[in-house]
Amino acid sequence: MTELTLRGLTKRFGATTAVEDVTLDIPNGRFVCLLGPSGCGKTTLLRLIAGLEEPSAGQILVAGQDQTRVPTHRRDFGMVFQSLALFPHLTVAENIAYPLAIRGVDRATRRRRAAELLELVRLPDVGDRRIHQLSGGQRQRVAIARGLAIDPRVFLLDEPLSALDANLREHMQVELRQLQQRLGVTTLVVTHDQKEALTMADMLIVMDQGRVQQTGAPMEIYRDPANAFVAGFIGSTNLLPCRLAGRQIRVAGTTLDLAEGDRVKSADGDAVLSVRPEDVRFAETGLPARVTFIRDLGESVQIVLDLEGREVSAVFTPRDRPEVGLGDTVHLTFEPGRRVVLAP
Ligand code: ATP
């Protein structure tokens, strides 16, 4: 069932259109990541959904009910902000129960619910502490617990993990996802980190310049990007200019036949070939390229090549690492069935 529906949602700030004509259906229980570069309108879209901004046009529906004019505190949405916005003068338990207090829930119920939520985020013993007595990761969990206090219909988080160091951040990504799976709450998280989105989400919304570029399951978008922006933003890719003629492309002076599984999103003529680094192979024959850089990361090896003045990145596992050195000339092929031809 569709939990959250956006119809033609638009927000203008003076001459800037922060969010432009966004129409989306988010099914019940999904973990959705809203992803895009800085300034693309992610936070504004989340704030519109939360009721913290008024749309210039469009509608927000929850389970088919129009919520566009419903004030924030009546929307039954839980929220976690980038700043966390925890109150230093309240205890941890009081912070968590705060959304219940402003809704007039009695003290005993608040205490019980705070204890439950502390258990849920695996912080059973810190209810009486102040916020400054917690670590960064613990604060994050408290903010998440507070966002869940009212048992929200929709859980909204704006870059909730951005203040954490890399290791803790990865740990919290897994934790947040597991918590969401246990509760089954429809969740929308803003992030600009595509790896974070791929870790957590079962649905991505990729935005650029106020517009939704593509929505879908992470691997679907990875394999079948709608355009060159999405291909480059979700995972890394090699974008090579080419010419498309039917089921053939001409790239770097060589003609390649497209195979079953290769995607074509462009009309004949000038186009762009997208090939993921893990789909670049070295072969006996193929496009001649020169090795310009080798980066050995232990778990993988990246080999950077020059193909007629364009940089191509290839990634190998240590097991299938080719025996090449800097300056060597090799021949490249691109895994059939994994190539995408996009509009220029
Ligand atoms: P970031 O990842 O940097 O937080 P974002 O994708 O969340 O970016 P938004 O904060 O939604 O982007 O901003 C989208 C656009 O709207 C930007 O051009 C921004 O400058 C503009 N904008 C956002 N809020 C306001 C405001 N209150 N007044 C005027 N312009 C605004």
Side-chain angles (χ1 to χ4, degrees), residues 161-162 164-173 193 196:
L161 309 179
S162 61
L164 303 179
D165 67 55
N167 282 339
L168 185 55
R169 194 174 165 143
E170 267 181 41
H171 176 82
M172 286 298 296
Q173 288 164 2
D193 178 343
E196 179 163 299

Side-chain angles (χ1 to χ4, degrees), residues 31 33 80-81 84 86 117-118 120-123 134-146 148 155 157 159-182 187 189 191 193 195-197 199-201:
F31 195 121
C33 277
V80 178
F81 300 97
L84 302 188
L86 296 169
L117 287 157
L118 280 167
L120 187 71
V121 296
R122 300 198 284 120
L123 286 177
L134 301 180
S135 72
Q138 289 172 328
R139 283 177 210 192
Q140 216 80 37
R141 290 202 187 104
V142 170
I144 289 167
R146 186 178 61 180
L148 292 168
F155 192 26
L157 304 96
E159 304 251 5
L161 309 179
S162 61
L164 303 179
D165 67 55
N167 282 339
L168 185 55
R169 194 174 165 143
E170 267 181 41
H171 176 82
M172 286 298 296
Q173 288 164 2
V174 175
E175 201 164 290
L176 185 57
R177 174 60 169 154
Q178 287 173 334
L179 181 64
Q180 186 270 344
Q181 279 173 325
R182 241 183 308 147
T187 298
V189 179
T191 178
D193 178 343
K195 220 167 152 191
E196 179 163 299
T199 305
M200 298 194 298

Side-chain angles (χ1 to χ4, degrees), residues 12-276:
R12 284 181 284 268
F13 296 105
T16 309
T17 304
V19 170
E20 193 167 0
D21 195 19
V22 171
T23 295
L24 277 176
D25 285 312
I26 297 175
N28 197 8
R30 286 297 164 86
F31 195 121
V32 181
C33 277
L34 198 53
L35 190 66
S38 182
C40 73
K42 309 179 291 290
T43 295
T44 304
L45 184 58
L46 198 79
R47 289 174 58 82
L48 286 168
I49 295 168
L52 297 168
E53 298 284 357
E54 210 176 310
S56 309
Q59 270 184 314
I60 299 158
L61 297 96
V62 175
Q65 303 271 331
D66 192 345
Q67 303 280 306
T68 318
R69 307 281 160 224
V70 174
T72 306
H73 63 279
R74 308 253 314 274
R75 288 194 188 187
D76 286 343
F77 291 177
M79 270 177 269
V80 178
F81 300 97
Q82 191 168 4
S83 64
L84 302 188
L86 296 169
F87 303 119
H89 60 286
L90 299 181
T91 65
V92 167
E94 286 164 348
N95 262 284
I96 292 174
Y98 183 77
L100 301 176
I102 55 175
R103 283 168 172 79
V105 174
D106 68 83
R107 210 182 153 80
T109 310
R110 285 186 340 239
R111 287 177 82 103
R112 203 173 50 238
R113 183 76 182 132
E116 242 171 59
L117 287 157
L118 280 167
E119 200 73 49
L120 187 71
V121 296
R122 300 198 284 120
L123 286 177
D125 304 318
V126 304
D128 295 326
R129 288 200 208 164
R130 299 276 163 170
I131 299 301
H132 72 264
Q133 294 169 311
L134 301 180
S135 72
Q138 289 172 328
R139 283 177 210 192
Q140 216 80 37
R141 290 202 187 104
V142 170
I144 289 167
R146 186 178 61 180
L148 292 168
I150 61 159
D151 219 346
R153 285 206 71 136
V154 181
F155 192 26
L156 304 171
L157 304 96
D158 189 359
E159 304 251 5
L161 309 179
S162 61
L164 303 179
D165 67 55
N167 282 339
L168 185 55
R169 194 174 165 143
E170 267 181 41
H171 176 82
M172 286 298 296
Q173 288 164 2
V174 175
E175 201 164 290
L176 185 57
R177 174 60 169 154
Q178 287 173 334
L179 181 64
Q180 186 270 344
Q181 279 173 325
R182 241 183 308 147
L183 300 175
V185 58
T186 307
T187 298
L188 200 65
V189 179
V190 164
T191 178
H192 62 262
D193 178 343
Q194 49 110 354
K195 220 167 152 191
E196 179 163 299
L198 292 175
T199 305
M200 298 194 298
D202 46 27
M203 176 176 168
L204 299 185
I205 301 172
V206 186
M207 289 184 73
D208 190 34
Q209 297 180 17
R211 288 187 163 271
V212 172
Q213 301 293 317
Q214 192 170 7
T215 61
M219 279 310 122
E220 197 178 296
I221 293 183
Y222 186 81
R223 287 277 157 247
D224 201 1
N227 55 43
F229 168 78
V230 175
F233 197 77
I234 304 297
S236 48
T237 196
N238 297 294
L239 294 172
L240 301 168
C242 66
R243 268 194 82 76
L244 175 69
R247 295 295 290 176
Q248 282 191 328
I249 51 170
R250 191 149 179 90
V251 55
T254 304
T255 300
L256 305 176
D257 290 318
L258 292 176
E260 197 183 323
D262 287 335
R263 269 92 167 180
V264 176
K265 301 279 173 65
S266 171
D268 276 3
D270 286 338
V272 178
L273 173 66
S274 168
V275 182
R276 300 285 179 193

Side-chain angles (χ1 to χ4, degrees), residues 301-322:
V301 183
Q302 183 198 16
I303 300 180
V304 182
L305 305 119
D306 179 277
L307 173 67
E308 292 204 333
R310 301 211 167 249
E311 194 172 87
V312 172
S313 166
V315 171
F316 301 90
T317 62
R319 200 174 310 178
D320 53 33
R321 174 197 180 128

